[in-house]
Each structure stands twice: as C-alpha cells, then as structure tokens.
Amino acid sequence: MAAHILFGIPVSAGVAIGRAYCQNRCNFSGLTRQKVDIKNVSLEKQRLTQAFDAACHDLKRVLEQVPEDLKEHAAIIESHLMMLKDQKFQQRALDHIDTGLINAEWALEQAVLEVQEMFAAIADEYLRQRIQDVRLVAERVLGKLIGCSNELQAFTHRAILFARDLSPADTIELDVNKIMAFATAQGGKTSHVGILARSLQIPAVVGVEGLEGALTGGEVVILDGFLGRIILDPDEEELARYTDLQTQFESYQATIMRSCQLPAETLDGYRMQILANIELFEEVVAVNDNGGEGIGLFRSEYSYLSRVDMPTEEELTEIYTDMASLVAPKKLIIRTLDVGADKLMRSQLPVEGNPALGLRAIRYCLKHRDVFRTQLRAILKASVLGNVSMMFPMISGIQELVEAKKFYREVQSEMRTQGIVFREDMPLGIMVEVPSAVITADVLAQEVDFFSIGTNDLIQYSLGIDRTNKDVAYLYQPLHPAVVRSIKWVVDAAHRAGIEVCLCGELAADPFCIPILMGMQVDSISLGPQAIPGIKHIVRQTSMEECTALLKQVMASHSVARNNKLVRDMIFRHFPEELLFYSSLAYDQD
Ligand code: PEP
Ligand code: MG
C-alpha cells in the first residue's frame, strides 16, 4: 500500500503520475507591524502606491500575453486588475498608514482583512470563495513591497505542480506541455483555478489538507482528480492500477467527446435538451465546445460581487447583450440576482443571523427596488436579441411572485414611456427551490412560462441541511424519497399547466440521477459545461422504456438505500466506466 495519501477536493477529473514540482512562494508570514515616523508617512504612502502601480503593470502584461485558446478566461485577470485599480481598496490601506502610522505592508494586511471579513459573511459558497481573490491580488502588491515574486519558474521537465495557491494569472501562464496536473493547499470547489483546470483539461485537486511541507519536489506522486487524492510514494501495485485507470479515462473521454455535439436522444427517440450553468461570460465557449444547447442558468451574481460598487444599467446591458449574441440562436436564461443582504457590502447592511433563511434572492430584490430595477432594465434591453429568458430565484409563494411580476410590469411600462424597445413576450420563469413552492407548484405554474428546479437549495431546505456545512454533507441525498417525489410533483404540475420544466441543480450533472429525470420527462437539464458530454453519453445509450420502469420502482420505494441500489444497478449494467469514474459519489455506501 502507498505510504501516505493526502486528501483534497477534486475539481478537474483525470489521473496524473509524475514527479512533483513545488512552487516556492514568497513568505509573507514574517511581516510585522512597524511604526512609521510622522515625517515619513507620505514616503510610506508613496511606496504603497508605487507597489499597486507595479502590480497593475504586471497583470496588464499577463493580460496582453494570454494565449488565444485561453482568451475566454482573461476576464478573471481583468477582475483582479479591477480590484487592484479599485481606489477604495487602495485608499483603505493608505488610510491605515495615516491613522495608524504603520508600514505599508501592515496597512495593506489590515485593508485585506477588512475586505475579507465582508466576503466571509457571504452565505453563498461561490461568492465567499472570492476571499481567495482578494488575498491573491494583495500578494501581488506585497510581493512588490518586499521585492519578491510568486511567478512560476520555467519548467525543465514534465511535472505535477504543487502550490499553496494559484492565481488565475498563474494558471493561465501554466505551460500545459510541461504541467501534467496540479494541486493546491487553498481553494474550494468553485475556485477559478478549478474552472481553468477543467478548461485546460488537466487533472486538479484543491484545498489539500497537509500539503504544505509534505513534498520537497522531485518525488514520484499520483494525483487522482476523481477522488481528490494525492498518493505520495506509490508502490508498484498502486502505479499499475492508476496507469490502467488513466488509459481507461482517456479512451472514455475520447468516446464521450466524439458524440457531444449530437442531440441527447434516447435509443427509443425521446429527446432531452441539455443546457449549461455558467457564472462567467467567458464560459460560453466551453458550453459550445462541450455540446451545450444553450444556457439554462446564468448566475448573474458575479457582476455584483467582483466589485465594490454596484454595476450600472449600461454595464449590465453590455454583458447580457454580448452574452445573448454569443449564444444565439441558442437560448440564454438569465437568473435575476441571487444574493442576500449580507452578500453585498457589509458596511451598508446588517449581517443576518440565518442568511440562508433570510433576505436572499427575490426577497432582497423586492426590498432593494433600485437594484432590481437596474437589472430588470438591462435584461429587458438585451431581450431584443430574441433568445433571452429571465427567471426569479427563491420564489416561495404566489404572493411573492405576483409582487415581483407587478414590479416587472411597472419597469416595462416605464421603459415603454421612455421609448426603449424590448421583447414584450420575453419568457418569464421561476426557480422552484423552496418546499413551499413545490407544494404550490400547480398555482405558480399558472403565472409563468417555465419552471427551473434548483435542487441544490431544494435539498438544503427540504432535508434541512446547510449546503455549505461539510459536517452535514453526508445527508445530501439526491435520491431521498422526499427529493424524488418533490421533483416529480413539480414536473407533473408544470406539464399539467402546459409549461416546460428544466432542472438546474447539481443533481443534473449526476449520472446516477439522469435515468430518473428522464423517466419523469423533465424537458431540459442544465449543468456545468464540462459535465455535458458524459451526461449526453448516458442519455444516448438508454431507452425511455427502461427509465420509466426504473422511475416506477423508485417512486414506490421508501428508502434512500434502495433507490441508490436501483440506480447503481442500472448504471452498472450499461455504463461500468461511469461507475468507475464517479465512484466518489456516495451511492455505494448505504
Ligand atoms: C440551485 O439551488 O439548485 C441552483 C441551481 O441555484 P444556486 O446553486 O445558484 O443556488
Ligand atoms: Mg438556488
């Protein structure tokens, strides 16, 4: 057996076997608070300003050199550049020098801590992980102050890269001919570095416990991007097993990519539309490359959280219009802002005791009508392109929906008066992700053009598990009878009312749940772009007849364990590779 295994979060599938290369990072741990004499304050401030300028200069250079096939990711670096140029952030640090008479390094640290504290109060995991971005940006400036750079040295041989963290700029500069895979000590499931690794199609594991100090460089290691494991000092048996897995995965990937542009149609002719979930404009390319048939969920939060102030109507209009034209003629469903009061600037708003049950999503928008109006106007302006739909998140009942629609009509009428053109019949939908919306789905269906089931929140609220708390993650059971029945209830209610239903939670990317969703005749599913080829592959190899029979058995079952076994047996019969590659999913544990 291997001597030692480190565990982390798998963010990009695949296996790499090779020698470790450890990135030497600047050591900022020794930075101390130092008093600055009042007469040297302006000099110290100038030192800080120059460091900001130099860091900006470096990032601009990286931006100019982004290779053609990674251009889609340049926006991540642009957002870092925006943070660096953000006068309020810089001013915060300068003020600390003034008021505390302290050195520039320490002042910057204080500003970073304050901004990070604001982000830490954010309930949404994706947005909370932007804390890392603040740190990466600040490290660029700190590096300038102490005369050290984290830039990667040129590689002389192929290797697996180990680093404390990688900034998007670092990742974009990675030479994929030399770097077989990478692992970082920091980072979470939705870090940018993961998005980039998937685009580059190199295996990656982030948030590895105990990584720092575990390797010196040069050792042979196995990086398992399926299960999120780093195997140090692998023995012969381990090496042979992983070499086999690597070969099988490569041939599996080649197979699924070959058919990813074909429709997701079952052997007996049933068709399901496969859409994509994206957060960033630049992910659209990956959607097309992986066979996505449109965007089923554009999480619009990023434009708000990647900055300190609010985006303007013009900025949002440009983003939505550009995205709609890039996606056209396929559809683009824009979800209106899904943040809670605590997810914006903490200085403006009080932090709630229980944000997941608080002023989130549509509730926030109905309270902050000016913010809502700006976004609605921008979406309406983009609607002229003809392929845009809009949906409201977290609708919990008819009253809330009627209220949101009333406001939407008011905004439309204002725009009409101002002579601004928009598509009058832009499809309007809601996310069904709160149990009360499930139960009243028949009533809600009368008011909208489509439903989109958000199982991430639906599972959180119906099983009572905080989706961000890893201690209760074992209770995340997509095949819990309550979850399966809720989904079926919503799908049936939608179809009775003659509207379409999409499912856009993580469950849509779970190969074990696909046959069940097909059996229910869900019209479309929406998932991360990289998961599309694998899911299409499953749909194309199954028959509706078999899925309907499976669903019948699952609907009659009272136990999660039985449901897991039923789907596992079916997947195993047809898709043994999927079982191998997705075995990290907890279906064999009951
Ligand atoms: C969901 O809740 O399933 C969903 C897709 O929305 P989000 O993950 O953005 O809350
Ligand atoms: Mg949700």
Side-chain angles (χ1 to χ4, degrees):
M1 281 304 289
H4 196 33
I5 300 178
L6 302 176
F7 295 89
I9 303 165
V11 288
S12 184
V15 169
I17 303 171
R19 293 203 180 272
Y21 171 94
C22 301
Q23 184 195 17
N24 289 323
R25 304 279 299 187
C26 307
N27 184 2
F28 299 117
S29 60
L31 293 180
T32 51
R33 178 191 173 104
Q34 281 167 25
K35 204 88 191 132
V36 170
D37 199 286
I38 196 145
K39 65 176 188 305
N40 291 330
V41 161
S42 54
L43 220 58
E44 197 63 11
K45 284 166 72 176
Q46 192 185 1
R47 205 162 74 80
L48 185 62
T49 315
Q50 280 169 352
F52 264 93
D53 290 347
C56 274
H57 181 268
D58 281 1
L59 268 192
K60 277 189 200 145
R61 182 185 47 77
V62 175
L63 259 181
E64 280 159 18
Q65 291 169 4
V66 173
E68 205 46 52
D69 53 346
L70 288 178
K71 279 271 188 271
E72 62 191 278
H73 294 297
I76 300 173
I77 302 182
E78 273 162 13
S79 77
H80 280 198
L81 195 56
M82 261 161 58
M83 274 191 221
L84 272 178
K85 285 183 175 166
D86 175 9
Q87 291 303 321
K88 285 191 196 145
F89 179 47
Q90 199 178 128
Q91 195 54 49
R92 228 175 239 278
L94 291 170
D95 287 350
H96 278 293
I97 300 182
D98 261 335
T99 53
L101 300 180
I102 51 174
N103 52 327
E105 291 86 345
W106 201 253
L108 179 60
E109 270 299 316
Q110 302 318 299
V112 170
L113 289 176
E114 285 164 11
V115 175
Q116 286 193 321
E117 206 185 315
M118 287 181 207
F119 275 86
I122 295 170
D124 182 286
E125 194 184 343
Y126 171 77
L127 299 173
R128 202 174 49 228
Q129 284 180 10
R130 302 289 70 80
I131 288 179
Q132 286 304 119
D133 294 275
V134 181
R135 166 64 47 197
L136 289 170
V137 164
E139 282 194 359
R140 285 196 170 264
V141 183
L142 276 178
K144 293 291 169 197
L145 285 168
I146 67 169
C148 161
S149 160
N150 276 331
E151 264 156 43
L152 289 166
Q153 303 306 314
F155 279 69
T156 49
H157 55 271
R158 274 169 69 71
I160 300 177
L161 170 67
F162 291 89
R164 184 163 67 78
D165 201 1
L166 289 174
S167 72
D170 289 338
T171 321
I172 280 179
E173 286 186 304
L174 291 182
D175 178 354
V176 281
N177 295 319
K178 295 274 171 56
I179 294 177
M180 307 153 76
F182 66 80
T184 60
Q186 307 276 328
K189 217 171 179 65
T190 57
S191 314
H192 291 312
V193 80
I195 298 173
L196 285 158
R198 290 192 293 275
S199 292
L200 293 166
Q201 298 194 337
I202 56 175
V205 180
V206 302
V208 180
E209 296 273 344
L211 182 63
E212 281 171 283
L215 289 152
T216 49
E219 305 90 330
V220 171
V221 293
I222 298 174
L223 183 145
D224 174 348
F226 301 113
L227 297 180
R229 304 196 304 175
I230 315 295
I231 302 167
L232 313 179
D233 304 324
D235 59 20
E236 291 295 317
E237 198 186 314
E238 212 88 44
L239 285 168
R241 198 160 70 78
Y242 271 101
T243 308
D244 268 4
L245 186 63
Q246 204 173 21
T247 317
Q248 285 177 51
F249 186 60
E250 279 162 15
S251 93
Y252 167 73
Q253 286 260 287
T255 310
I256 61 173
M257 284 312 284
R258 265 198 299 276
S259 57
C260 80
Q261 300 297 341
L262 297 173
E265 188 172 309
T266 61
L267 296 169
D268 46 0
Y270 176 80
R271 196 130 159 200
M272 187 190 244
Q273 199 178 23
I274 313 287
L275 306 168
N277 293 349
I278 61 168
E279 272 120 21
L280 304 168
F281 173 77
E282 60 270 22
E283 288 176 272
V284 176
V285 179
V287 176
N288 292 333
D289 289 353
N290 286 288
E293 295 162 4
I295 312 286
L297 166 64
F298 170 49
R299 292 183 166 101
S300 62
E301 293 77 67
Y302 188 75
S303 314
Y304 294 76
L305 266 292
S306 60
R307 54 195 291 157
V308 180
D309 54 353
M310 287 284 177
T312 63
E313 185 179 319
E314 289 67 36
E315 284 165 336
L316 292 177
T317 307
E318 192 181 327
I319 296 172
Y320 303 155
T321 308
D322 284 355
M323 190 176 283
S325 7
L326 197 57
V327 176
K330 298 172 183 169
K331 72 169 146 190
L332 164 66
I333 303 179
I334 303 176
R335 176 179 73 184
T336 57
L337 194 55
D338 184 4
V339 290
D342 61 320
K343 292 179 188 172
L344 296 176
M345 285 178 285
R346 199 176 161 202
S347 52
Q348 288 183 324
L349 300 155
V351 175
E352 294 172 297
N354 205 341
L357 303 179
L359 199 62
R360 234 193 102 173
I362 194 69
R363 305 167 184 186
Y364 172 88
C365 287
L366 287 174
K367 188 163 165 106
H368 297 274
R369 305 268 172 140
D370 46 345
V371 177
F372 198 19
R373 177 183 289 103
T374 304
Q375 187 178 33
L376 290 175
R377 285 174 64 96
I379 296 173
L380 279 166
K381 283 184 175 175
S383 75
V384 289
L385 282 141
N387 60 337
V388 178
S389 305
M390 176 176 81
M391 62 182 176
F392 299 139
M394 280 277 291
I395 290 289
S396 60
I398 188 71
Q399 224 171 326
E400 203 173 33
L401 176 56
V402 168
E403 186 62 29
K405 279 180 68 177
K406 185 165 162 254
F407 183 66
Y408 174 47
R409 301 284 169 238
E410 279 168 31
V411 174
Q412 285 182 318
S413 114
E414 272 165 29
M415 288 175 68
R416 252 179 242 117
T417 316
Q418 292 164 351
I420 302 171
V421 280
F422 57 87
R423 182 178 163 195
E424 293 278 349
D425 59 348
M426 171 172 68
L428 174 68
I430 56 165
M431 297 268 306
V432 179
E433 49 187 347
V434 182
S436 56
V438 171
I439 295 165
T440 56
D442 55 332
V443 182
L444 299 171
Q446 303 303 322
E447 293 291 327
V448 288
D449 301 311
F450 65 93
F451 279 165
S452 190
I453 306 176
T455 46
N456 304 340
D457 277 313
L458 185 57
I459 294 177
Q460 147 162 280
Y461 295 127
S462 38
L463 302 186
I465 48 165
D466 177 348
R467 62 191 265 192
T468 66
N469 182 341
K470 68 177 185 339
D471 295 332
V472 290
Y474 72 101
L475 288 170
Y476 175 88
Q477 292 162 327
L479 294 176
H480 190 295
V483 176
V484 179
R485 289 174 194 199
S486 296
I487 298 173
K488 173 93 168 68
W489 180 265
V490 176
V491 175
D492 289 349
H495 287 167
R496 271 197 309 274
I499 63 169
E500 289 201 348
V501 57
C502 176
L503 189 141
C504 66
E506 283 303 309
L507 199 144
D510 182 339
F512 294 83
C513 295
I514 292 303
I516 306 285
L517 299 181
M518 298 217 307
M520 291 182 191
Q521 310 208 358
V522 168
D523 301 284
S524 56
I525 54 173
S526 193
L527 52 152
Q530 279 74 20
I532 291 176
I535 294 299
K536 273 194 166 179
H537 176 70
I538 291 182
V539 177
R540 289 178 56 79
Q541 309 299 314
T542 27
S543 71
M544 192 53 165
E545 195 186 341
E546 196 175 5
C547 295
T548 311
L550 177 71
L551 176 67
K552 206 165 160 202
Q553 287 181 292
V554 167
M555 287 303 288
S557 142
H558 299 164
S559 113
V560 184
R562 177 162 163 72
N563 289 348
N564 288 349
K565 178 161 171 25
L566 285 167
V567 295
R568 195 182 59 227
D569 289 351
M570 177 183 167
I571 294 286
F572 191 64
R573 267 199 310 280
H574 296 292
F575 311 101
E577 315 96 308
E578 268 80 359
L579 204 61
L580 193 66
F581 302 132
Y582 297 99
S583 54
S584 59
L585 300 171
Y587 291 92
D588 44 1
Q589 286 171 12
D590 304 271

